[in-house]
Amino acid sequence: MAKFSHSKLNLFFLLLLISLLTTAAAPAGRRHPLDPLSSDEIELIRSLVINSIRNLSTTDVTFQYVALTDPNKQYVLSWLSNPKTSPPPRRATAIVRYNSSTHEILIDLDKKAIISNRVYSGPAYSMFTLSELLDAVALPQSHPPFVAAMNKRRLKVKDVICACYSVGWFGEKMKQRRMVKLQCYYSNGSVNLYMRPVEGVTVTVDLDQMKIIGFRDRYEAPVPKADGTEYRPSMLKPPFLPPLNGVKMVQPEGPSFKVNDHTISWSNWELHVGFDKRAGPIISLASIYDLEKQKRRQVMYKGFISELFVPYMDLTEEWYYRTFFDVGEYGLGQYAASLEPLRDCPENAVFMDTYIAAGDGRPMKMANTFCIFERHAGDIMWRHTERAIPNRIIKETRAEVSLVVRMVATVANYDYVLDWEFKQSGSIIATVGLTGLLGVKASKYTHRDQIEEEVYGTLIAENTIGVNHDHFFTYYLDLDVDGGTNSFVKSNLRTVRPPNPDNPRKSYWTVVSETAKTEADARIKFGRQEAELVVVNPNRRTRMGNPVGYRLIPKSTVGPLLSVDDYPQIRAAFTNYNVWVTPYNISEKWASGLYTDQSRGNDTLATWTLRNREIENKDIVMWYTLGVHHAPCQEDFPLMPTLTTGFELRPTNFFESNPVLKVTPPRPLNRSICPL
């Protein structure tokens, strides 16, 4: 044990005390500029807004969307390079509804003051709040025509539960009311209410006045029976599959990553995990340490799901408008599930809470919003067995261990498992898992052979049609590959005939690279030709002369099947291409526009790119849409096993050579050999 003199000990404890006091007394302004809003900040925003509005009760004010305003990117990067300097001004945006008007209010959190209050006069509306949707679904219970319709169907009104659906836009010239349509379900006998729709009844609610403005009982269909819809293990009857032996992910020394507020450091990665009521998880400032260059290098400034478009294919009166924008209308962050240890996340996971502003503006805690864990699933990072050397066999292999940041959003019937995974090789993998409950329609049919007309889906159980639909996830990917000025390169793979006709081979393929000059050049619709898509930094080259880059490897090449003149597709024209590239613009964040409810498609990613701006050697953003065409099947009933898709951002000539050649495997623990 080292020996210290009294003077050295006193100096040591003095320095320690100063360090602790400095850390503890750090002013609020020293927060990371990309940290999500805290509970205190949300309360401050509410107070400032309420105090600025005169002659109104607080119940007449609805906080539709409250979020951190994106700080100036260059200020953030400058602060990051020298954290001792003052961080960028911390500001927030509140979209607030009162006096039947939508107000965009900008707040300076440092000065505790409102900077501006602008009235939005466009045709669309901001996202719904949980509280107003809960108020709306309670209205039918006391509406006499609704009660009569349920009694006619011999349903107990108290067991009928309704859900709010956005109404969309279908060419109306005049601005519509801010409203939703209610479709209802029967919970008697089963908690799986979405499998028991009450078909033919539609209730329309004005959200500003919070009253029913329309009711229609068009027809009756048998409510699907409760039998067979249960999914809770405690309520299911034998037989069961045999249980598996226990599986543990053990880290007796604790996780290898460190969490400092919202900044995570792990192995060669450092990144920031943010949160937004609309987008859900936001990954920022992802950088990787280059062992050979002995420095940290930028990869991604910001990545998140900008929109999730879910159109259903049923054309009937009760269904045609069900073309949902789950980010812009409902909010993935607002519907974040509280993750359960050992069920949603492995036992080595660390959890993170967040806050959102509720409809009344007060902070609402979202417990266990994120889980962060190391994944060690027996995958192989790299390996080789060499037998060609005489009298020697060389075997080398490395286990794959990665870092995962997970959130689950439950938007009505669907559950979306959203993962961001970071590999030591430099890859970033974004994964979406779709599970939960189908959107189904009650039907008179009990067997497929009875069906003679278009039913827009599959008969998955008696009286139950699983309706065809799509899921399109549009990701915002602001890659800053080794710096802020990048280009987008399409490396087309082309089949070529040999120049020498006597060559025994008749064809080969080669790579023809093309750098996109403008936004129009960069649009990609998968399936037309084979190509590798790389964001490169033309100002940084390897020793071999290749520009450093990151490649998009899609797992989904699905595109929309709706006609371009269909109103939902006009609103979702950002899905017309799988890949877009735009110059960075702080105001271009939401692919469906800032206001999505009842939007008309005039403020979207597709309209921004009509300017055809230059994108070569610029600060650029790549937008990638992955899609799933879902034609339901019986295995999706009564609850859908997880269907997974996603994409990979993979280093391409970013490193001089294999960056994980010198990876240090996890320290071995005592292990038991499994008996055969």
Side-chain angles (χ1 to χ4, degrees), residues 560-594:
L561 296 176
L562 298 181
S563 62
V564 294
D565 62 343
D566 197 356
Y567 290 109
Q569 193 59 36
I570 291 172
R571 299 175 66 208
F574 52 86
T575 65
N576 288 343
Y577 292 90
N578 296 98
V579 176
W580 310 72
V581 179
T582 63
Y584 173 81
N585 185 323
I586 198 169
S587 66
E588 294 177 1
K589 183 174 180 178
W590 308 111
S592 60
L594 178 59

Side-chain angles (χ1 to χ4, degrees), residues 269 283 286 288 299-304 420-431 475-481 488 533-535 549-555 579 622-624 646-652 654-655:
W269 279 103
I283 303 296
I288 192 166
V299 177
M300 184 171 71
Y301 180 74
K302 186 171 290 187
F304 59 91
W420 287 90
E421 182 176 3
F422 296 83
K423 293 181 176 289
Q424 290 175 295
S425 62
S427 283
I428 302 173
I429 298 177
T431 303
Y475 280 80
Y476 173 105
L477 302 167
D478 182 4
L479 298 179
D480 283 357
V481 179
F488 181 65
L533 310 176
V534 186
V535 174
Y550 259 74
R551 176 171 34 136
L552 171 68
I553 302 177
K555 294 181 181 178
V579 176
M622 179 167 62
W623 309 72
Y624 169 56
F647 63 92
E648 179 178 354
L649 297 171
R650 187 181 181 92
T652 302
F654 186 83
F655 298 102

Side-chain angles (χ1 to χ4, degrees), residues 275 336-339 352-354 366-371 406-408:
F275 178 73
S338 182
L339 299 176
M352 184 183 293
D353 300 335
T354 57
M366 311 287 282
N368 289 2
T369 303
F370 296 113
C371 69
R406 172 172 296 167
M407 192 196 94
V408 174

Side-chain angles (χ1 to χ4, degrees), residues 293-475:
K293 295 182 181 295
Q294 294 285 293
K295 69 174 185 179
R296 184 163 294 284
R297 301 171 67 187
Q298 293 174 264
V299 177
M300 184 171 71
Y301 180 74
K302 186 171 290 187
F304 59 91
I305 298 176
S306 179
E307 191 51 85
L308 168 50
F309 177 47
V310 188
Y312 282 80
M313 298 299 122
D314 193 311
L315 303 185
T316 57
E317 180 179 320
E318 293 77 20
W319 277 83
Y320 77 90
Y321 60 88
R322 300 192 198 190
T323 53
F324 306 123
F325 293 77
D326 281 352
V327 172
E329 293 173 340
Y330 293 91
L332 292 183
Q334 179 170 239
Y335 283 89
S338 182
L339 299 176
E340 291 190 43
L342 303 181
R343 292 179 179 266
D344 292 313
C345 309
E347 60 185 322
N348 62 322
V350 172
F351 293 81
M352 184 183 293
D353 300 335
T354 57
Y355 289 87
I356 64 169
D360 61 1
R362 299 186 187 278
M364 183 170 73
K365 184 177 180 179
M366 311 287 282
N368 289 2
T369 303
F370 296 113
C371 69
I372 302 132
F373 59 92
E374 287 166 283
R375 174 179 284 154
H376 185 8
D379 296 328
I380 296 172
M381 179 186 289
W382 61 263
R383 79 168 320 280
H384 181 62
T385 299
E386 182 57 66
R387 295 186 176 93
I389 302 173
N391 302 318
R392 295 182 67 186
I393 296 180
I394 298 172
K395 293 189 292 186
E396 287 291 341
T397 185
R398 296 293 182 272
E400 181 79 84
V401 180
S402 58
L403 179 77
V404 178
V405 179
R406 172 172 296 167
M407 192 196 94
V408 174
T410 301
V411 187
N413 53 307
Y414 259 100
D415 292 66
Y416 299 107
V417 183
L418 310 174
D419 282 1
W420 287 90
E421 182 176 3
F422 296 83
K423 293 181 176 289
Q424 290 175 295
S425 62
S427 283
I428 302 173
I429 298 177
T431 303
V432 174
L434 290 77
T435 181
L437 309 171
L438 290 176
V440 304
K441 179 179 181 179
S443 167
K444 63 183 179 181
Y445 300 115
T446 59
H447 194 278
R448 178 176 175 172
D449 291 348
Q450 301 169 344
I451 303 173
E452 295 181 349
E453 79 276 9
E454 175 66 80
V455 293
Y456 309 106
T458 305
L459 186 70
I460 58 173
E462 290 184 7
N463 307 118
T464 308
I465 300 290
V467 179
N468 298 332
H469 60 283
D470 298 319
H471 302 263
F472 292 106
F473 299 81
T474 298
Y475 280 80

Side-chain angles (χ1 to χ4, degrees), residues 521-568:
D521 295 337
R523 295 180 302 193
I524 303 290
K525 188 176 291 187
F526 290 143
R528 292 187 171 181
Q529 67 181 58
E530 296 293 327
E532 290 194 348
L533 310 176
V534 186
V535 174
V536 304
N537 187 328
N539 312 296
R540 302 278 191 274
R541 293 182 178 269
T542 64
R543 288 195 294 267
M544 300 298 101
N546 296 309
V548 303
Y550 259 74
R551 176 171 34 136
L552 171 68
I553 302 177
K555 294 181 181 178
S556 164
T557 58
V558 169
L561 296 176
L562 298 181
S563 62
V564 294
D565 62 343
D566 197 356
Y567 290 109

Side-chain angles (χ1 to χ4, degrees), residues 46-212:
R46 178 183 182 275
S47 176
L48 290 172
V49 171
I50 293 298
N51 291 337
S52 70
I53 303 172
R54 298 178 180 177
N55 303 321
L56 273 183
S57 166
T58 56
T59 57
D60 297 325
V61 182
T62 305
F63 289 77
Q64 306 296 135
Y65 176 60
V66 177
L68 179 73
T69 304
D70 286 336
N72 180 283
K73 182 176 178 179
Q74 294 308 315
Y75 288 175
V76 173
L77 295 175
S78 177
W79 173 84
L80 192 67
S81 64
N82 184 10
K84 293 183 179 180
T85 60
S86 297
R90 192 162 169 84
R91 294 175 175 175
T93 299
I95 297 180
V96 182
R97 184 91 177 152
Y98 60 90
N99 286 339
S100 297
S101 297
T102 299
H103 295 253
E104 299 173 4
I105 303 176
L106 182 63
I107 297 110
D108 189 314
L109 297 173
D110 298 324
K111 296 179 180 179
K112 300 181 179 181
I114 290 177
I115 298 174
S116 62
N117 184 336
R118 186 180 81 90
V119 177
Y120 166 75
S121 57
Y125 300 100
S126 188
M127 57 187 291
F128 308 125
T129 69
L130 290 175
S131 54
E132 65 187 357
L133 296 184
L134 288 173
D135 289 344
V137 299
L139 295 175
Q141 295 284 333
S142 57
H143 189 61
F146 179 83
V147 174
M150 297 305 105
N151 289 337
K152 181 177 67 172
R153 289 168 170 79
R154 297 182 180 180
L155 304 178
K156 298 178 181 178
V157 177
K158 67 179 181 62
D159 292 332
V160 177
I161 298 174
C162 300
C164 291
Y165 294 145
S166 55
V167 299
W169 171 74
F170 293 89
E172 297 88 355
K173 301 299 183 184
M174 300 297 292
K175 184 174 182 177
Q176 301 182 89
R177 297 183 180 190
R178 188 165 171 270
M179 59 186 179
V180 291
K181 290 185 178 181
L182 274 55
Q183 299 293 336
C184 304
Y185 306 87
Y186 197 45
S187 65
N188 184 280
S190 175
V191 298
N192 194 346
L193 57 98
Y194 285 104
M195 293 301 108
R196 309 197 69 204
V198 179
E199 210 65 53
V201 174
T202 304
V203 181
T204 306
V205 173
D206 183 310
L207 292 178
D208 283 335
Q209 300 181 32
M210 200 51 69
K211 70 176 185 179
I212 293 175

